[in-house]
Amino acid sequence: MESEGAATILHADLDAFYASVEQLLDPSLRGRPIAVGGGVVLAASYEARAFGVHSGMSGWRAKSLCPRLRFVRGHFREYQRLADLVMDVLRDFTPVVERISIDEAFLDVRGSVHLFGPPAAIAGEIRRRVRQEIGLPLSVGVARTKHLAKVASQVAKPDGLVVVEPDRERDFLRPLPVELMWGVGPVTRERLAGRGVRTIGELADVSPGALQHLLGVAVGAKLASLADNRDPRPVAPPRRASSVGAQSALGRKRPTPELVATVLAHLADRVASRMRAATLAGRTITVRVRFAGMRSVTRSVTVPDPVSSTRTLTELAVELAWTALRDEGAEPEVTLLGVAVSNLATEPALQLLLPLGIEGDTLRPGTASGAARWALDRSVDAIRAKFGRGSVGYVPVVLSDMAMVPDDFRELAERDLRPAANRPAGSDRSQRPPPGG
């Protein structure tokens, strides 16, 4: 594709974010291999990564690779506060900022060059300010498209700046490994390697039809476009969410009743608590099940009244998941479960209903049983707000022996549903998730 326009899109990505914050808070950790977590590595410093330690690895495995590795518990409020200060620096240069996780964002600076100079100069000044004012390293990629800017920021790591001018885009992309592309994880990388495809240039040489046959229609078409540097997506500042969701990767597991109930209870708790924090409820509940082989199916139901109850959402999600699993037939292996709620509506207060004895009353918030669930959820929310999320929980999750990423860590990567004007005091400039690249 012929290049059009100038390289005015920036991708800013904080380096090894969680570990860098710990080293900022405790200077004695600087230059040492550290990991945030315990039983599971949630994030690792570059010094630890040099030994092969990475996020998602078990703690004992990380220690065996790096005996000098030091684990730290994590300061989740500081992660949020410092990341938001970095985002404020980005918005000082342009209002066109699209935050895609706690520690990374896209910017379009085409309207700012007359104030701050060319994009490369803007990127350099952003990096300088983040380092001097906040104390964190930031890598920035500058390019004509979002995909290329993100790839450039990965090449720039750690603590660097890479500008890809329009006339050298193809030369820049071709020798790079395919895993730098957006959406290429370990499974896709291995499938491509099985076909002899290891670089973006080799991927670009494969026909779109062959990629779709290998990876599926959607993934194959997407990667074919990105490898050819076709990415028309603009930088889009966030709008109010139209849905709320969460998902959990499982490896490859047989879907036992205990597994499905535990995972979906955990996901429903996360989704429902986020909706309640934003005074929202939703009518359409969707469950996603991904099977071995990367094939996914979804099942949805729309209920008469918006719900935000954790227990109600759990019950609906479990029923939908088993519908999908039964439709699949012979004992499939699942690799991911997800829950999403859409058709959102504001839920500032509970409207009680007359006890008419209608079937399915437990799904309706205003009935006696629905009101009891409503009150229980808000009691749980109040306890968590005062004593921390881990202070109280629902039985299927609390009593499970499944290893899960701490909720405090997950919440950092989940978008705040409220507009800025409705966020709690202290969540903006003065105070304010896998991140950490």
Side-chain angles (χ1 to χ4, degrees):
M1 183 182 70
E2 293 298 324
S3 298
E4 297 177 1
T8 61
I9 293 178
L10 280 58
H11 181 254
D13 194 356
L14 289 158
D15 297 322
F17 174 55
Y18 299 117
S20 294
V21 170
E22 296 301 328
Q23 292 172 327
L24 175 66
L25 298 176
D26 183 356
S28 70
L29 299 177
R30 293 176 184 171
R32 298 178 57 182
I34 69 168
V36 179
V40 176
V41 175
L42 303 178
S45 67
Y46 280 107
E47 296 85 357
R49 295 182 191 188
F51 290 87
V53 178
H54 58 79
S55 60
M57 177 179 287
S58 66
W60 69 265
R61 173 61 176 161
K63 268 289 192 181
S64 67
L65 291 174
C66 181
R68 294 176 51 245
L69 183 68
R70 176 171 172 181
F71 279 94
V72 294
R73 290 180 58 85
H75 294 79
F76 299 103
R77 291 185 179 177
E78 284 298 292
Y79 299 157
Q80 188 69 69
R81 182 183 71 85
L82 292 169
D84 285 346
L85 290 177
V86 172
M87 297 300 147
D88 289 335
V89 171
L90 303 185
R91 295 186 186 99
D92 284 343
F93 290 87
T94 175
V96 189
V97 176
E98 179 184 352
R99 187 175 187 172
I100 60 173
S101 72
I102 186 175
D103 64 343
E104 60 179 321
F106 288 105
L107 305 77
D108 192 330
V109 298
R110 71 182 66 195
S112 305
V113 293
H114 65 291
L115 294 174
F116 303 109
I122 293 174
E125 181 61 12
I126 288 173
R127 295 183 63 245
R128 183 194 67 78
R129 283 190 54 186
V130 170
R131 172 67 82 172
Q132 291 189 1
E133 298 175 15
I134 303 170
L136 293 172
L138 180 75
S139 292
V140 181
V142 183
R144 189 179 53 84
T145 66
K146 291 171 74 172
H147 170 247
L148 196 53
K150 185 171 174 65
V151 171
S153 73
Q154 307 312 300
V155 173
K157 288 181 175 294
D159 197 16
L161 168 63
V162 169
V163 180
V164 184
E165 297 295 350
D167 60 354
R168 66 181 189 93
E169 291 173 343
R170 289 182 180 277
D171 292 339
F172 172 79
L173 276 177
R174 285 195 68 84
L176 297 177
V178 291
E179 54 263 35
L180 288 183
M181 294 181 66
W182 215 340
V184 176
V187 173
T188 301
R189 181 188 63 201
E190 291 305 313
R191 286 190 175 186
L192 291 171
R195 289 285 302 269
V197 175
R198 292 179 172 81
T199 69
I200 297 177
E202 291 170 342
L203 182 62
D205 292 337
V206 179
S207 71
L211 281 179
Q212 291 178 31
H213 179 74
L214 178 65
L215 304 174
V217 174
V219 175
K222 173 187 172 184
L223 292 185
S225 295
L226 295 181
D228 200 39
N229 198 30
R230 287 181 280 119
D231 182 12
R233 297 169 300 164
V235 177
R239 300 175 180 176
R240 191 176 183 93
S242 60
S243 66
V244 190
Q247 62 185 25
S248 180
L250 306 175
R252 293 172 67 109
K253 287 185 166 59
R254 294 289 181 188
T256 65
E258 180 184 6
L259 172 73
V260 173
T262 299
V263 173
L264 291 178
H266 183 244
L267 296 177
D269 188 20
R270 286 165 52 196
V271 170
S273 61
R274 289 172 60 204
M275 287 195 297
R276 294 193 298 270
T279 64
L280 293 174
R283 293 180 57 235
T284 300
I285 294 85
T286 302
V287 166
R288 178 187 177 206
V289 182
R290 189 177 71 196
F291 300 101
M294 301 298 288
R295 189 176 65 84
S296 296
V297 298
T298 60
R299 296 292 184 270
S300 299
V301 64
T302 298
V303 295
D305 300 292
V307 298
S308 63
S309 160
T310 294
R311 184 174 173 185
T312 301
L313 182 54
T314 300
E315 292 170 351
L316 290 168
V318 169
E319 184 177 343
L320 289 169
W322 281 112
T323 299
L325 292 167
R326 284 191 293 268
D327 291 346
E328 186 66 15
E331 298 191 6
E333 287 186 323
V334 296
T335 61
L336 178 143
L337 291 173
V339 177
V341 180
S342 55
N343 274 343
L344 300 177
T346 302
E347 188 190 42
L350 179 65
Q351 176 65 53
L352 296 177
L353 301 176
L354 292 174
L356 301 178
I358 300 173
E359 185 179 354
D361 264 0
T362 55
L363 300 180
R364 309 188 73 188
T367 61
S369 57
R373 294 182 177 193
W374 192 93
L376 174 62
D377 283 330
R378 278 145 186 85
S379 296
V380 169
D381 294 340
I383 293 170
R384 286 172 168 174
K386 186 171 184 178
F387 299 106
R389 188 170 180 87
S391 59
V392 64
Y394 291 85
V395 169
V397 178
V398 172
L399 297 185
S400 169
D401 58 0
M402 290 182 61
M404 291 189 177
V405 175
D407 284 323
D408 285 339
F409 196 80
R410 290 185 184 275
E411 286 180 349
L412 295 176
E414 294 175 341
R415 298 286 183 87
D416 190 342
L417 300 175
R418 293 160 291 175
N422 292 335
R423 292 178 190 154
S427 67
D428 249 356
R429 286 187 77 97
S430 61
Q431 296 290 331
R432 254 184 101 177

